[in-house]
Amino acid sequence: MDRRKTLKKIGIGAAVSLAAPSLWSCNRPTQTATSTLESAKPLRLSLAQWSLHRTFQSGELNAADFARIAKSEFGLDAVEYVNGFYREKGTDQTFWKEMLQKSQDHGVKNLLIMVDEEGDLGNLNDTESQKAVENHFKWVDAANILGCHSIRVNAFGEGAKDEVRKAMVQSLGKLCSYAADSDIHVLIENHGLYSSDPFWIKSIIEELNAPNLGTLPDFGNWCLSAKWGSTQADDCTEVFDRYEGVRTLLPFAKGVSAKSYSFDEKGEQPKIDYKKMLGIVKESGFEGYIDIEYEGMQQTEPEGIRLTKQLIERIWETL
């Protein structure tokens, strides 16, 4: 899924109405808190807003109601926002205070904002990389108002791998310094090209050694030959081993993105061994939220979210 092309079509000011009852009222889960285990590492689930990107784009739902939707439709009490749904609201502090109030009204915790299309932090041109850094500041401010712990950024840039890495170190140093004033973390997600090499990301984090720099490991974005890194289709020419990748990034993780595609008749993910992946997450001692990020096409977005939730809960109980 090309997130960049999709988000350019989205406008928060568009007229939006609630989804048709036939889409949302069927198989609605009982409104109970996410189940936890008696182990030392309880399961905590959140909803990534990208899971509903087609529904928001079509106008069936309003992105400003995301917190309510996560809780009332899916029984999830934590959310992760995508900046592209709020492009024109980035600096509108009144709007973000209203969003905070909405989330509080529904008992929903705001975790982070995923930031896309604000310029390449790894740009080799100093002027352009500085502009990209400053473009991220407003999302740090918005995350702070929402009570989030982090923003998620992309490690993109054009040029030789080591040169882009050096540019990323410089840019992230500036961004982390700004974010530290608000106690906000800056998380790198594996999202294609160099950023889908976990050892490359690890080298950036270890060189910068900033206490508020971390990762958001994603189960699916391990394509090294394409931006955004999706492995949903079978057209990626170079893929990093997803299990080794997640294992490498987990020591720095402030969140985990449980990417899901299409489900088979058993409710499993044919492309991702969820039992193996969740076993790696649990074994690492990770105690944060695992976010549901459905990106498939065969099921509707609501169905895909529910199936992902059920799959994670079912497997977690066996680990």
Side-chain angles (χ1 to χ4, degrees), residues 189-200:
E189 178 183 358
N190 50 297
H191 223 174
L193 303 176
Y194 300 149
S195 75
S196 287
D197 177 349
F199 298 108
W200 186 79

Side-chain angles (χ1 to χ4, degrees), residues 37 41 43 282 290 312-319:
L37 304 179
K41 305 296 186 293
L43 174 63
K282 193 169 188 179
I290 297 176
I312 295 172
E313 290 175 333
R314 183 172 73 248
I315 291 176
W316 197 264
E317 292 178 353
T318 69
L319 297 174

Side-chain angles (χ1 to χ4, degrees), residues 63-67 81 86 94-104 110 146:
D65 294 329
F66 178 46
Y81 297 88
Y86 311 99
T94 298
F95 173 80
W96 293 113
K97 290 176 182 177
E98 292 172 350
M99 290 288 284
L100 173 61
Q101 187 61 57
K102 288 181 179 181
S103 64
Q104 291 175 337
N110 302 315
L146 285 173

Side-chain angles (χ1 to χ4, degrees), residues 241 243 247 273-281 315 319:
D241 181 271
Y243 309 102
R247 184 181 286 109
D273 184 339
Y274 253 63
K275 186 171 185 178
K276 180 177 181 178
M277 191 68 84
L278 291 172
I280 291 170
V281 173
I315 291 176
L319 297 174

Side-chain angles (χ1 to χ4, degrees), residues 150 175-181 183-187 209-214:
S150 303
L175 183 55
C176 286
S177 178
Y178 181 86
D181 291 338
D183 198 25
I184 296 293
H185 283 74
V186 178
L187 309 183
N209 196 31
N212 64 328
L213 179 62

Side-chain angles (χ1 to χ4, degrees), residues 131-256:
K131 182 179 178 181
V133 170
E134 293 174 0
N135 285 347
H136 283 73
F137 287 171
K138 58 182 175 290
W139 301 113
V140 172
D141 297 340
N144 184 41
I145 293 172
L146 285 173
C148 297
H149 60 66
S150 303
I151 64 167
R152 188 277 282 141
V153 303
N154 293 307
F156 292 150
E158 296 183 8
K161 194 172 187 177
D162 191 55
E163 291 301 309
V164 174
R165 189 190 67 80
K166 291 178 182 178
M168 285 299 308
V169 170
Q170 292 184 353
S171 293
L172 287 171
K174 298 173 185 176
L175 183 55
C176 286
S177 178
Y178 181 86
D181 291 338
S182 301
D183 198 25
I184 296 293
H185 283 74
V186 178
L187 309 183
I188 308 172
E189 178 183 358
N190 50 297
H191 223 174
L193 303 176
Y194 300 149
S195 75
S196 287
D197 177 349
F199 298 108
W200 186 79
I201 293 178
K202 180 180 178 182
S203 72
I204 292 172
I205 293 173
E206 291 180 339
E207 178 174 344
L208 191 55
N209 196 31
N212 64 328
L213 179 62
T215 62
L216 180 68
D218 184 285
F219 289 0
N221 300 333
W222 293 104
C223 182
L224 291 158
S225 55
K227 200 171 187 179
W228 310 114
S230 177
T231 54
Q232 180 168 189
D234 295 321
D235 55 357
C236 181
T237 59
E238 188 178 3
V239 182
F240 194 92
D241 181 271
R242 68 180 77 247
Y243 309 102
E244 181 182 359
V246 169
R247 184 181 286 109
T248 302
L249 295 182
L250 273 170
F252 314 100
K254 290 286 289 183
V256 169

